Amino acid sequence: MAALAPLPPLPAQFKSIQHHLRTAQEHDKRDPVVAYYCRLYAMQTGMKIDSKTPECRKFLSKLMDQLEALKKQLGDNEAVTQEIVGCAHLENYALKMFLYADNEDRAGRFHKNMIKSFYTASLLIDVITVFGELTDENVKHRKYARWKATYIHNCLKNGETPQAGPVGIEEENDVEENEDVGATSLPTQPPQPSSSSTYDPSNLATGSYSGIQIPPGAHAPANTPAEVPHSTGVTSNAVQPSPQTVPAVPAIDPDLYTASQGDIRLTPEDFARAQKYCKYAGSALQYEDVGTAVQNLQKALRLLTTGRE
């Protein structure tokens, strides 16, 4: 991908988007689609903060030039031309980073790249808002990832040993002000899954951290954009997951099965919303959240059979 024209110095008013812009730069070669949406988020957020001050207008103008250049370079990429594909791309990428960091955390392997992955996952969930409101799941994962990044960073900085897994979550965390949390550059080579990245399902039993349910990470995907340390000195024994009870789910409306489209004319927007509901259902199933998956599938079915939500 061709190099982009550099941006002018970041105005003080835009401090809240500096890490999103840094993430964009880090992904220019790694994943240009992620880089594009990070800049789009920064642009939209910056416009809301200050679009009138001369230095801010100059900065936003140059950022717009970068966006236009990127969009031209990615003109044949469906993740840029189709909102649904772009949203799914970003969510999947953020999820891979989250699961990698969660694996490392639960296995007691605390290092800068794991902290970086937690924090970057939270930033990318911010970026997903360019497509609309976040799902409850994404809001919870963003809060947990940002808190974990800060907690582990502060522990290591103070010479303390962090506690692995969801051990408690503080309500107020000023992660944005901590320059060091997101400062580590991501490596250029993706990791391979570690055979010792195992988890203890019993860690999820208490649910004591403000009701946030974080799934245990499966083995990190091969293309997870973070690095597994070669030698950490930490080992863990494989744990066989215990049988899980499927949660109760809402009864499915039988009318949805028998509804006939008849004269219903679905618009492209209707199909797009139905695809989103199906995508959210798929995301819920990744976390074994049967209730949320069923609810979203019901919404998609209702929309496709009645033309109404």
Side-chain angles (χ1 to χ4, degrees):
M1 189 178 72
L4 300 173
L7 293 172
L10 184 75
Q13 297 95 312
F14 292 163
K15 186 176 181 180
S16 63
I17 59 175
Q18 63 181 338
H19 291 301
H20 302 87
L21 289 171
R22 178 184 294 164
T23 300
Q25 292 177 336
E26 291 172 346
H27 286 81
D28 278 335
K29 294 182 179 179
R30 178 188 300 276
D31 192 316
V33 171
V34 171
Y36 172 79
Y37 283 115
C38 285
R39 287 185 173 89
L40 181 59
Y41 170 84
M43 182 73 189
Q44 292 181 352
T45 305
M47 290 288 290
K48 294 175 184 177
I49 295 173
D50 187 344
S51 61
K52 297 181 179 180
T53 303
E55 62 175 352
C56 291
R57 292 185 63 178
K58 179 181 178 181
F59 185 88
L60 292 173
S61 176
K62 295 297 183 182
L63 182 56
M64 177 64 76
D65 290 343
Q66 286 192 346
L67 278 168
E68 291 177 351
L70 268 175
K71 193 167 187 178
K72 185 176 181 180
Q73 294 175 27
L74 300 171
D76 59 348
N77 193 313
E78 289 186 346
V80 172
T81 60
Q82 297 186 31
E83 178 181 298
I84 291 176
V85 179
C87 184
H89 181 98
L90 209 58
E91 284 189 324
N92 290 337
Y93 194 92
L95 176 63
K96 288 176 183 178
M97 298 202 82
F98 181 94
L99 289 180
Y100 163 74
D102 191 45
N103 280 333
E104 295 296 281
D105 174 39
R106 291 171 185 272
R109 294 187 291 270
F110 306 109
H111 50 88
K112 289 184 177 180
N113 283 320
M114 178 259 275
I115 297 171
K116 175 74 171 181
S117 291
F118 263 137
Y119 188 57
T120 303
S122 76
L123 295 176
L124 294 180
I125 295 175
D126 287 340
V127 175
I128 293 173
T129 60
V130 302
F131 302 103
E133 292 187 10
L134 295 175
T135 63
D136 289 341
E137 273 187 316
N138 282 335
V139 171
K140 292 175 182 178
H141 290 144
R142 177 176 61 180
K143 182 177 181 180
Y144 181 81
R146 198 159 295 182
W147 166 74
K148 260 295 180 177
T150 305
Y151 166 70
I152 297 172
H153 169 78
N154 289 337
C155 284
L156 298 183
K157 185 177 181 180
N158 297 328
E160 302 171 359
T161 301
Q163 294 187 51
V167 294
I169 183 168
E170 299 173 8
E171 292 298 326
E172 297 296 333
N173 299 289
D174 196 5
V175 186
E176 304 292 354
E177 299 299 321
N178 196 330
E179 296 287 340
D180 296 333
V181 171
T184 305
S185 296
L186 293 177
T188 56
Q189 295 297 322
Q192 296 300 316
S194 170
S195 61
S196 59
S197 294
T198 56
Y199 64 89
D200 182 355
S202 64
N203 286 345
L204 298 179
T206 59
S208 60
Y209 44 100
S210 303
I212 297 178
Q213 297 299 318
I214 304 298
H219 292 304
N223 59 343
T224 303
E227 181 180 18
V228 177
H230 296 294
S231 177
T232 60
V234 178
T235 58
S236 58
N237 296 323
V239 178
Q240 295 298 323
S242 55
Q244 297 185 10
T245 302
V246 176
V249 298
I252 298 178
D253 186 351
D255 292 339
L256 295 181
Y257 293 116
T258 58
S260 174
Q261 280 190 283
D263 296 330
I264 294 173
R265 295 291 181 267
L266 298 176
T267 67
E269 290 74 19
D270 291 331
F271 286 111
R273 287 198 298 272
Q275 287 179 354
K276 280 190 176 181
Y277 287 136
C278 291
K279 176 173 65 65
Y280 294 152
S283 177
L285 289 176
Q286 288 182 314
Y287 297 121
E288 301 179 2
D289 185 350
V290 177
T292 300
V294 170
Q295 289 174 5
N296 280 286
L297 289 174
Q298 282 184 315
K299 289 178 181 178
L301 185 58
R302 184 183 303 278
L303 179 59
L304 294 174
T305 55
T306 68
R308 300 188 303 273
E309 295 189 63

